[in-house]
Amino acid sequence: MSQIIVEKNSRIFKKDNKQFFYLADTCWSAFTNITLEEWEYYLNLRKTQGFNVIQINILPQWDASGTELNYYPLPCDDSFPKIFKFTEFNQEYFDRARHMCEMAKEKGFELALVVLWCNYVPNTWASKMFSKMSSNNIMPYEFIDKYIEKVNETFSDLNPIYVISGDTDFDGEDTKEYYLKAANKLRKLAPDLLQTLHIRGRLEVIPEEFIELIDFYMYQSGHNAENPAMPYLLAKNFYEKYPAKPIINSEPCYEQMGYSRNMYGRFYQFDVRRAAWMSLLSGACAGVTYGAHGIYSWHKIGKRFGLGIGEGFDSPNPWNDAVKYPGAWDYGYIKYMLDLYGIHELIPIDKIMNSTDDIRMASTRGEDKILIYVPANTNVRIDKNLSSYDIKIIDMVSKNVFIPSVEVKDEKTTIYMHSFEKDVVIVMRKK
């Protein structure tokens, strides 16, 4: 069975000796909340949209929506929220999870499986929050080996990417010890499988102990409306400050997610599309992850959402509405467009002369192709002579193509305004 690999000092993934653009959807609560019939429908739709990776939490997601299903990996009572007994495993849970993964693989998806979400690990923001509720689910340190062996036994022959941490910060030494133990144990049992960390939103630092251990970087620009620059600032940070490895924005704002911290408002199609393009052209070119509010928690009509704690997101629509949000098609179009133009690695270029950082620019090696993302219409001024390029503007709403007026003066180029209403990508190819 072929698998995704990362070559030394590379910014992209490869599979079967070809570039692999990681286009993931977020379905954290798959193993606990989704019926097999729903799973079949979901996978078929995402496949038609061009997705090739599904991100799933192996253990129950702490903020999954309510469910009538009764699938749990460990013994627990009828309390709410569930408190697990870290003794023996519920084999039925792991057999079913395995079957769901096999279904995804048969349809051509890769798996990105989160091993230990932060609420299962001491001294993270989530475990501290739950300790105040007297409902702590911290996994005993001595149980980690047994759990990792079960994970390896259940999933490793399917060649998943192992996402060792979920939404985590690293404020405590014991937090690092937990994740180091899990990562090292999995590396010993499954040495050829890729590992990474899913870190807390807007976090820009990975502890030094993990840099050589992980194969690529995941950051999340997150769901805070007060930080709209995070998609490109975090990409730039990991691109410039860390050893060369693939970078992915693994959790940009989810479509129709309520703003975090109980702030009124939601992210819509434009917002999630903006986050994707800004990430890709700022250093995080290995791929991108989409998310829809109502999908990650697999919400159903009449069921509770969340626990009333955490970042305080507003309620979602049910999954069968959320799965049809239009932003998913925009993410599929990104992959299609990059394939169409034969674009693999993208190198950020700091040549935009406009008085904003929101216009992002990147090129292929050798600069035979250049992309510029323009979120709001304006004349784009570039500190480079682009007279040798064929220049077109693609509307990200209609996907219509516009031939712009271009002026080159004093070795600087101005690409004049287009006629579209929202964001565009300017595509330049050397003649």
Side-chain angles (χ1 to χ4, degrees):
M1 185 182 293
S2 60
Q3 67 185 82
I4 304 171
I5 65 169
V6 175
E7 295 176 343
K8 188 174 179 60
N9 297 322
S10 176
R11 297 284 189 184
I12 63 172
F13 298 108
K14 283 192 173 180
K15 182 182 178 184
D16 298 328
N17 294 317
K18 298 178 182 178
Q19 186 250 1
F20 179 87
F21 183 81
Y22 179 110
L23 184 63
D25 190 30
T26 308
C27 201
W28 298 135
S29 308
F31 295 159
T32 57
N33 283 42
I34 304 180
T35 68
L36 296 183
E37 293 79 10
E38 292 165 350
W39 186 237
E40 179 89 15
Y41 172 85
Y42 164 80
L43 292 174
N44 286 340
L45 177 59
R46 288 299 188 240
K47 182 179 179 180
T48 67
Q49 294 171 319
F51 289 89
N52 54 19
V53 181
I54 307 292
Q55 296 182 172
I56 307 171
N57 195 350
I58 294 175
L59 297 176
Q61 181 74 17
W62 73 268
D63 59 348
S65 292
T67 178
E68 293 178 353
L69 304 180
N70 190 32
Y71 296 107
Y72 297 102
L74 298 152
C76 58
D77 55 26
D78 293 330
S79 64
F80 175 77
K82 295 292 183 185
I83 300 177
F84 297 115
K85 300 173 184 176
F86 294 94
T87 52
E88 299 299 324
F89 297 105
N90 180 355
Q91 189 58 42
E92 181 185 11
Y93 177 90
F94 287 93
D95 288 345
R96 185 174 183 274
R98 162 79 187 201
H99 179 57
M100 294 177 76
C101 289
E102 289 173 341
M103 290 172 67
K105 291 290 286 190
E106 287 169 3
K107 295 181 186 297
F109 289 98
E110 300 298 330
L111 303 163
L113 303 179
V114 178
V115 177
L116 280 172
W117 203 267
C118 61
N119 59 296
Y120 296 101
V121 176
N123 279 319
T124 65
W125 69 270
S127 58
K128 291 175 184 175
M129 177 179 67
F130 277 100
S131 66
K132 296 176 182 177
M133 300 174 59
S134 300
S135 56
N136 217 321
N137 260 328
I138 293 175
M139 182 177 290
Y141 186 77
E142 60 274 12
F143 192 79
I144 294 176
D145 282 342
K146 188 175 181 179
Y147 169 61
I148 295 299
E149 288 166 2
K150 173 57 73 173
V151 168
N152 176 67
E153 166 195 307
T154 306
F155 303 110
S156 286
D157 66 319
L158 299 175
N159 291 336
I161 293 169
Y162 281 125
V163 185
I164 302 299
S165 70
D167 202 19
T168 200
D169 45 10
F170 297 91
D171 290 346
E173 288 302 314
D174 48 355
T175 305
K176 298 177 188 177
E177 289 172 6
Y178 264 66
Y179 285 125
L180 285 169
K181 184 174 185 179
N184 285 320
K185 180 73 173 179
L186 258 179
R187 187 66 79 191
K188 182 178 179 180
L189 295 174
D192 296 328
L193 299 185
L194 297 183
Q195 291 189 14
T196 190
L197 302 172
H198 179 277
I199 59 176
R200 186 176 185 178
R202 302 171 295 282
L203 188 66
E204 61 181 16
V205 176
I206 294 176
E208 187 176 348
E209 303 96 304
F210 292 92
I211 299 302
E212 291 302 316
L213 194 62
I214 60 176
D215 298 293
F216 64 98
Y217 310 112
M218 279 183 165
Y219 71 88
Q220 57 160 315
S221 53
H223 318 288
N224 189 321
E226 296 176 344
N227 299 104
M230 285 293 107
Y232 61 82
L233 289 179
L234 290 171
K236 189 171 183 288
N237 172 75
F238 284 101
Y239 190 88
E240 294 178 349
K241 296 181 180 178
Y242 285 88
K245 296 179 182 183
I247 306 168
I248 291 172
N249 187 349
S250 63
E251 193 170 327
C253 51
Y254 291 166
E255 192 163 7
Q256 293 214 24
M257 183 75 123
Y259 298 155
S260 65
R261 301 177 184 174
N262 292 301
M263 182 177 172
Y264 177 71
R266 292 181 186 265
F267 296 102
Y268 291 101
Q269 182 180 5
F270 166 76
D271 303 296
V272 299
R273 185 172 64 231
R274 172 188 179 277
W277 278 108
M278 285 186 166
S279 303
L280 291 164
L281 301 191
S282 304
C285 70
V288 69
T289 299
Y290 172 76
H293 198 31
I295 296 299
Y296 84 89
S297 66
W298 208 258
H299 191 67
K300 296 184 180 180
I301 295 173
K303 298 299 180 183
R304 58 162 178 79
F305 167 68
L307 304 175
I309 56 176
E311 292 211 68
F313 302 120
D314 209 340
S315 299
N317 285 319
W319 75 269
N320 43 316
D321 289 338
V323 78
K324 296 177 181 177
Y325 289 158
W329 293 102
D330 286 331
Y331 275 53
Y333 184 78
I334 291 171
K335 181 176 178 295
Y336 167 78
M337 184 173 162
L338 296 179
D339 287 344
L340 182 68
Y341 286 99
I343 295 172
H344 304 307
E345 181 177 354
L346 282 165
I347 301 166
I349 303 176
D350 186 17
K351 293 287 185 178
I352 300 296
M353 298 174 65
N354 298 61
S355 58
T356 178
D357 290 327
D358 284 359
I359 299 174
R360 309 307 299 173
M361 179 178 183
S363 76
T364 55
R365 289 195 178 276
E367 296 191 1
D368 59 315
K369 294 156 192 164
I370 298 173
L371 299 180
I372 300 177
Y373 176 71
V374 188
N377 199 3
T378 189
N379 299 326
V380 180
R381 294 177 289 113
I382 303 118
D383 190 13
K384 183 177 176 66
N385 185 333
L386 297 172
S387 58
S388 62
Y389 287 81
D390 174 72
I391 302 175
K392 292 183 173 63
I393 297 177
I394 302 177
D395 177 24
M396 290 294 101
V397 177
S398 67
K399 311 304 186 285
N400 289 334
V401 179
F402 181 92
I403 310 301
S405 297
V406 179
E407 181 182 50
V408 178
K409 186 176 182 181
D410 299 328
E411 297 301 302
K412 295 174 175 55
T413 301
T414 299
I415 301 173
Y416 287 100
M417 290 172 57
H418 54 80
S419 299
F420 303 125
E421 294 184 0
K422 287 195 175 180
D423 53 328
V424 301
V425 174
I426 302 175
V427 181
M428 291 177 269
R429 292 187 288 182
K430 272 197 174 174
K431 299 175 183 177

